[in-house]
Amino acid sequence: MISSAATSPPAAPLTRAYSGDPLSAVQSLLYIIVVALFIITFSAQPFQIPSGSMEPTLRIGDFLLVNKQIVPHAATGDPLPGTGIHRGDIIVFYYPIDPSLHLVKRVIGLPGDRIHLHEGHVYLNGQLLDEPYAIYRPAAPDGFRDNFPRMQSAEPGVDSRWWINMRHLIDHGDLVIPKGQYFVLGDNRNNSEDSRYWGFVPHAAIVGKPFLIYFSLRQPERDDPPATARLESPLRRPSLEERVIDHLSDFARWDRTFQVVR
């Protein structure tokens, strides 16, 4: 056993992390900005959900963090190990019709897959696809939307270039997905403009995968139940704590905060 005969040096006095020097404060702020820019550029990026096409998975007012590490490396052309695009993944991508916009949808078909819809339900490579995430809210019948691909006549809302190109990709009633392309749909199946209406998502247009809802703003017109008659109750003055809680619950869906996206 080896022991040290030397006495321990006296403890160094604690120092404050911030000395009050304005230059130090500016340096700290710049460091935070650089780290944030690095994360946004190479790792994660925030987005807000503006529409209900991905309900109930993603709701209007949800704020997402998107993992950008699935984007291929500039040098190798490959994504990081263990990443990539799979069926069922939710992705954020540049809208093929207007690349200045971002959309979020779920990947249904990969390159080489064969897809068609019958009465709103997806058949992938000849098999009915199990989609526990999809909802079918009441909507007017739509032969193109529900029995895709349907080529009897041009449909309102369908991109004209996609309408022409789609004809060359149909084989025995199935849409065949080309190499490097993905077929995406919204979970709110009857209220989503998706690959049925404007075509495939190129791999190069994919920004990343949402992985976390870090905040969610309430939408009173959508979140609040219809008013119902209530029994009269005696009036009382709410406490400060109750008023604070009511105020906080009025603008946020706290039950969705820090929820993992699946």
Side-chain angles (χ1 to χ4, degrees), residues 16 49-50 54 59 73 80 107 120 131 136 165 169 178 205 220 238 245 254 258:
R16 296 175 60 185
I49 299 298
M54 280 296 293
R59 299 172 64 181
H73 292 296
L80 292 177
V107 175
E131 297 186 281
Y136 300 86
N165 187 41
L169 299 170
I245 292 173
W254 297 109
F258 299 122

Side-chain angles (χ1 to χ4, degrees), residues 9-173:
L14 295 176
T15 58
R16 296 175 60 185
Y18 169 56
S19 63
D21 179 10
L23 181 59
S24 298
V26 171
Q27 289 175 335
S28 299
L29 180 60
L30 289 175
Y31 175 77
I32 293 172
I33 292 174
V34 169
V35 171
L37 288 175
F38 178 85
I39 292 174
I40 291 174
T41 303
F42 298 104
S43 183
Q45 186 172 350
F47 288 92
Q48 181 184 1
I49 299 298
S51 75
S53 68
M54 280 296 293
E55 290 181 341
T57 309
L58 301 175
R59 299 172 64 181
I60 297 175
D62 283 350
F63 288 79
L64 311 176
L65 283 180
V66 174
N67 176 16
K68 299 170 65 176
Q69 293 299 320
I70 64 165
V71 178
H73 292 296
T76 65
D78 297 322
L80 292 177
T83 63
I85 306 299
H86 308 92
R87 296 187 192 95
D89 286 347
I90 298 175
I91 59 172
V92 171
F93 54 92
Y94 295 107
Y95 183 28
I97 304 301
D98 182 359
S100 68
L101 302 177
H102 291 92
L103 297 186
V104 57
K105 304 291 179 185
R106 190 182 295 273
V107 175
I108 302 299
L110 303 178
D113 283 344
R114 303 172 64 96
I115 283 182
H116 75 269
L117 276 72
H118 178 66
E119 296 182 352
H121 298 284
V122 176
Y123 286 78
L124 179 68
N125 299 322
Q127 300 294 320
L128 177 63
L129 186 63
D130 181 26
E131 297 186 281
Y133 43 77
I135 61 171
Y136 300 86
R137 289 177 175 157
D142 186 325
F144 181 84
R145 179 195 67 206
D146 300 333
N147 297 288
F148 177 88
R150 181 173 175 173
M151 304 300 298
Q152 278 81 351
S153 61
E155 298 289 331
V158 178
D159 179 70
S160 58
R161 289 170 297 181
W162 169 235
W163 175 260
I164 295 171
N165 187 41
M166 182 168 47
R167 293 176 175 274
H168 306 291
L169 299 170
I170 297 175
D171 180 48
H172 293 87

Side-chain angles (χ1 to χ4, degrees), residues 178-194:
K179 181 179 179 180
Q181 307 287 324
Y182 298 86
F183 187 88
V184 299
L185 294 174
D187 288 357
N188 189 356
R189 200 54 52 82
N190 291 340
N191 295 280
S192 173
E193 289 192 8
D194 41 45

